[in-house]
Amino acid sequence: HVTLAVNKVTTSGENYQIGRVIIGQIHANDDEPVRLYYRKLPGNSLGAIYFAHESRVEDSDGDNIETYVEMIGSRSNATSNPDDGIALDEKFSYHIKVNVNLLTVTISREGKSDVVAHYDMSESLYDQDGQYHYFKVGVYHVNNSSDPGEYAQATFYQIKNSHTGYAASE
């Protein structure tokens, strides 16, 4: 469970990179079962929330298959202001839970209903022997094309991490 506010995002660079920042993720051995994004485009007053799921299964080009799940607003490069979006400096919380192959992401804000998304990871091969997961929180500035003086910033108010393991049968 993480409570934060995104304070600043980029306003320049490649269209697909402008205004986006990763605010948390679960990492596995080599891949990321979930990367949670906040994205606010320069012309909008509110930002969107979405996540990417990177499967361990490769496509015909040898790249891992990625699926995006939009939770609040759109991840589009030219989206309008999200109706129920999150403003810069607005405090909100997220909770990422993985229970065997079910990934659940919850976005919470005071005075508003929770936004919940589920993703079935059973085809993604994370349940194979030797795979491990760990949670990473932070601001991952994923716009390497922005003007040199630009940066992303967030304030984290609370971080709670818990892990419940289960033993595989032999």
Side-chain angles (χ1 to χ4, degrees), residues 100 127 129 163-170:
V100 188
D127 54 1
D129 285 348
H163 177 77
T164 305
Y166 64 92
S169 58
E170 295 185 32

Side-chain angles (χ1 to χ4, degrees), residues 14 16 19-20 43 56 58 104 123 137 147 161 166 170:
E14 296 282 341
Y16 74 99
R20 73 176 186 167
R56 294 184 62 229
E58 295 179 352
T104 303
E123 302 295 318
V137 65
D147 292 341
N161 186 27
Y166 64 92
E170 295 185 32

Side-chain angles (χ1 to χ4, degrees), residues 5-11 21 38 88-89 139 149-154:
V6 176
N7 309 113
K8 184 167 178 48
V9 294
T10 58
T11 59
V21 60
Y38 172 89
L88 291 177
D89 299 318
V139 175
E150 283 204 297
Y151 59 93
Q153 177 180 322

Side-chain angles (χ1 to χ4, degrees), residues 1 6 8 16 23 26-27 32 38 40 47 51 55 60 64 70 76 82 84 91-92 110 112 122 127 146 161:
H1 183 89
V6 176
K8 184 167 178 48
Y16 74 99
I23 55 175
I26 292 180
H27 210 287
E32 294 144 349
Y38 172 89
K40 190 190 85 60
F51 68 84
S55 172
S60 58
N64 289 49
E70 294 174 338
S76 165
D84 198 25
K91 194 184 280 193
F92 67 98
E110 197 169 307
K112 296 187 178 182
S122 58
D127 54 1
S146 65
N161 186 27

Side-chain angles (χ1 to χ4, degrees), residues 29 56 101 124-132 166:
N29 301 39
R56 294 184 62 229
N101 278 318
S124 299
L125 307 180
Y126 286 108
D127 54 1
Q128 292 182 334
D129 285 348
Q131 283 294 307
Y132 57 83
Y166 64 92

Side-chain angles (χ1 to χ4, degrees), residues 96-122:
I96 299 173
K97 181 179 182 179
V98 175
N99 185 356
V100 188
N101 278 318
L102 181 62
L103 167 67
T104 303
V105 179
T106 304
I107 305 297
S108 302
R109 294 174 282 175
E110 197 169 307
K112 296 187 178 182
S113 297
D114 286 354
V115 178
V116 182
H118 301 283
Y119 190 86
D120 180 355
M121 301 191 307
S122 58

